[in-house]
Amino acid sequence: MLYFQLVLMAGTVILSYHFEYTDTFPVHSQGFFCYDSTLSKPYPGPESASRVPPRLLYPLITVLPVLTILLGEVSTVLINPRWSSREKIISCGDCCFFNPLLRQIVRILGLFSFGLFCTVIFAGAVQTVTGNQTPHFLSVCRPNYTALGCKSHVQYISSPYACNGDPDLITEARKAFPSKPVALGAYSAVYTTMYVTLVLKVKGSRLVKPSLCLAMLSPSWLLCLLRVAEYRNHWRDVLAGTITGAAIAVFLVTCVLNNFGSSSPEEGDLIQKEQDGAIEAENPLPAACEKISVVKCTSDCDIIPQVYPNRILEVYPPMSADPPPCLVPVTPDVLIPSNCISSQV
């Protein structure tokens, strides 16, 4: 199973590389309307000239979640007492042995990396298939409206040779839906926010976790506004990118990581037993109850003492087939036993 996961991860990385840096998958050439005002915005320059350039965006969406998860896991080990009683080394498959803390970190960060590459693949595939233009598409396309015979705004141009601008800029201007930077930012923000919400335990204040979550979601929202304000994407592009990244993050956390819980039923049962043991240690029974308990009597004279640590069994009286004798008063000072329920003798 471990080897299959490594092969799947390697295939995801290779596929995302081809979508991002090669022309293996050609972009669909979508047409446009003559003098379309929604596609005639000024060219804002390359991505490196943006207010959030790639050299700033990509470290933020990778380094910030990694640091948050590392700090959260280390603090959990230092604060939670159950980690001190767990096994120091556990096996992973048939070949590898990891420390439980290292295994948990690799599990969470490995799936986070897998989700990043899946977001790149999904956004790149949709961009390649749709070929939707950016708001500045006509500024880099530079169509010759006279040669194309444009006479009205409702005339549609579908020729793939209608553009006279730089082919590389035209190809990039056809990759607008969904916005890939917004999808990556939304994925990173939602994944980290869910980790903070589900894993971190903060005592003493109810505003710490909501404040952390808002602080992690705010850069993603700001990125959406900047993409629209710089005429790099339409509002529908950033909306689709946000939904894409958030959906992938929610799916991986809930369906694969089980809300950052145990990775297997056996591990979950072990953690539950450890928690039960910790509860019993915090609430010990009296000393008299820890040494001896009494089990159910099997006869009128059998009372069997046995040792059951931390448990108390109820004492049941012996049961008889005959009804218990009735005490029927005859006089105020005399009681005569009787085996029947009758009137006074």
Side-chain angles (χ1 to χ4, degrees), residues 11-345:
T12 306
V13 173
I14 295 173
L15 189 58
S16 61
Y17 171 81
H18 281 279
F19 270 112
E20 187 72 16
Y21 298 106
T22 66
D23 55 353
T24 305
F25 305 98
V27 182
H28 172 65
S29 179
Q30 190 178 35
F32 56 91
F33 289 96
C34 293
Y35 309 103
D36 191 349
S37 60
T38 60
L39 304 179
S40 302
K41 298 297 187 291
Y43 176 56
E47 290 289 340
S48 58
S50 174
R51 296 181 184 178
V52 187
R55 65 176 179 273
L56 175 63
L57 175 63
Y58 293 131
L60 279 179
I61 64 179
T62 54
V63 175
L64 185 60
V66 169
L67 292 179
T68 303
I69 293 172
L70 287 177
L71 291 177
E73 291 301 315
V74 172
S75 62
T76 300
V77 172
L78 296 178
I79 296 175
N80 197 343
R82 75 175 175 85
W83 281 92
S84 59
S85 60
R86 297 191 64 181
E87 297 181 2
K88 304 304 180 183
I89 298 177
I90 58 177
S91 62
C92 181
D94 299 329
C95 63
C96 305
F97 297 90
F98 292 106
N99 181 275
L101 173 62
L102 179 61
R103 180 176 182 271
Q104 182 75 356
I105 292 175
V106 170
R107 176 169 165 257
I108 296 177
L109 292 183
L111 198 65
F112 172 75
S113 304
F114 176 77
L116 279 179
F117 292 117
C118 287
T119 304
V120 173
I121 293 173
F122 187 85
V126 176
Q127 288 177 350
T128 302
V129 172
T130 59
N132 283 13
Q133 301 98 335
T134 59
H136 61 270
F137 173 75
L138 293 180
S139 298
V140 298
C141 178
R142 299 178 183 177
N144 189 344
Y145 293 113
T146 304
L148 295 174
C150 289
K151 297 180 180 180
S152 64
H153 294 277
V154 297
Q155 185 174 350
Y156 187 76
I157 306 299
S158 59
S159 174
Y161 307 103
C163 295
N164 300 316
D166 188 349
D168 294 334
L169 295 180
I170 295 173
T171 301
E172 290 298 322
R174 293 185 183 276
K175 299 178 180 180
F177 182 87
S179 176
K180 189 180 297 182
V182 172
L184 291 173
Y187 168 80
S188 177
V190 173
Y191 191 96
T192 311
T193 301
M194 294 185 71
Y195 176 83
V196 172
T197 304
L198 298 173
V199 176
L200 297 186
K201 307 296 181 182
V202 180
K203 297 181 180 180
S205 177
R206 297 182 179 180
L207 298 178
V208 175
K209 291 173 69 173
S211 301
L212 289 176
C213 294
L214 290 176
M216 294 175 182
L217 291 174
S218 297
S220 177
W221 300 336
L222 182 60
L223 178 61
C224 296
L225 297 177
L226 287 176
R227 299 292 297 185
V228 176
E230 293 182 348
Y231 304 129
R232 298 185 184 276
N233 290 104
H234 300 281
W235 65 267
R236 59 180 178 271
D237 302 332
V238 299
L239 179 61
T242 302
I243 294 175
T244 300
I248 294 176
V250 172
F251 171 76
L252 292 179
V253 171
T254 56
C255 299
V256 181
L257 281 179
N258 193 20
N259 291 330
F260 297 103
S262 59
S263 59
S264 62
E266 293 79 5
E267 185 177 351
D269 295 339
L270 179 59
I271 294 176
Q272 184 64 33
K273 291 179 181 179
E274 292 174 353
Q275 292 177 350
D276 295 341
I279 294 175
E280 292 181 358
E282 294 177 357
N283 302 293
L285 294 173
C289 301
E290 296 179 357
K291 297 299 182 180
I292 187 170
S293 62
V294 181
V295 299
K296 180 179 178 180
C297 300
T298 57
S299 65
D300 295 344
C301 60
D302 294 332
I303 299 179
I304 306 173
Q306 296 184 4
V307 177
Y308 291 93
N310 301 331
R311 293 185 181 179
I312 301 178
L313 300 180
E314 296 182 359
V315 179
Y316 296 89
M319 302 298 295
S320 176
D322 298 331
C326 303
L327 300 179
V328 181
V330 178
T331 63
D333 298 330
V334 180
L335 296 178
I336 300 175
S338 175
N339 288 330
C340 63
I341 300 175
S342 62
S343 60
Q344 184 176 357
V345 180

